[in-house]
Amino acid sequence: MKEELLTIETGQVRHKQLCADVEDSRIYEILAENGLTEGTVVIWQVNKIRWGTFRDGHITFADGKPEQTALWLEGRFFNEKGEAHLTREKSFIKTQLFSIRVLLDGEGESCEHVDTLSRFWGECKAQDADWITLRDDDRKLEQIVPAVADQARFYGLVTRSYIGYDAVTAQAGYQDYRYVRIASADQKGEI
């Protein structure tokens, strides 16, 4: 999907701040309440980063292993419509309580935003209907991310940054951001 990146677009965004216990599946209720029933998930655990997909209250990770919420430090559940960003605060480290910030496009306050694409390290070494394996052979690094429709050599993460204005100085800047999707990051003229 070709799109115009790095241009200011207008729209609407709604922001919510919550706190929830992920052990009791409350996160799936929060996702469903906000229309986030399917999309991509990335989880930072104490021992690794895991990519996966979520649909109707179930996560499928690239490694095929089940959720390990006790090891979660941070997570982002996202799609074109919005994102739920979970953060285990230091004061919650011995609990399953997470601070959750939800951003939803298409409703709420008027805003401006800019979409950017940041390329993942490594190039596509394998792809099937569900997963893409990205590998940097020189550094012996590999990650497996959810598949997208476009076939490409390189992939990246589209991030949406919301523009805000300081009330005193009227200076513009990014006030928040969210993940949107994984996309082809091939550039014209690349070998």
Side-chain angles (χ1 to χ4, degrees), residues 155-170:
Y155 291 89
L157 183 66
V158 175
T159 304
R160 178 162 296 159
S161 299
Y162 298 93
I163 299 170
Y165 300 90
D166 185 276
V168 176
T169 66

Side-chain angles (χ1 to χ4, degrees), residues 78-148:
F78 60 96
N79 62 25
E80 294 284 337
K81 179 178 170 43
E83 175 190 70
H85 181 197
L86 288 68
T87 307
R88 187 185 304 237
E89 302 296 331
K90 288 182 182 178
S91 60
F92 300 156
I93 204 69
K94 294 183 180 179
T95 71
Q96 293 290 93
L97 288 175
F98 283 79
S99 172
I100 302 171
R101 188 262 293 128
V102 178
L103 289 175
L104 298 172
D105 288 341
E107 51 190 79
E109 298 177 22
S110 294
C111 73
E112 295 176 314
H113 65 264
V114 175
D115 287 354
T116 58
L117 175 71
S118 298
R119 193 168 99 175
F120 292 131
W121 47 257
E123 64 183 275
C124 180
K125 296 296 184 175
Q127 183 170 359
D128 62 26
D130 299 319
W131 307 106
I132 299 169
T133 301
L134 302 173
R135 188 175 307 125
D136 182 334
D137 291 326
D138 292 339
R139 295 190 287 168
K140 296 177 177 55
L141 298 172
E142 180 179 281
Q143 67 177 332
I144 301 172
V145 299
V148 296

Side-chain angles (χ1 to χ4, degrees), residues 27-43 50-62 67 72 75-86 102-104 130-131 146-147 178-181:
I27 183 60
Y28 300 113
E29 293 171 20
I30 291 168
L31 292 171
E33 289 167 5
N34 291 288
L36 299 172
T37 55
E38 65 181 282
T40 303
V41 60
V42 59
I43 301 291
R50 298 174 77 190
W51 284 93
T53 59
F54 66 94
R55 175 175 283 197
D56 298 324
H58 179 71
I59 299 175
T60 302
F61 285 108
E67 299 171 32
W72 290 10
R76 289 179 181 263
F77 293 77
F78 60 96
N79 62 25
E80 294 284 337
K81 179 178 170 43
E83 175 190 70
H85 181 197
L86 288 68
V102 178
L103 289 175
L104 298 172
D130 299 319
W131 307 106
R178 73 174 187 86
Y179 293 176
V180 179
R181 72 181 164 283

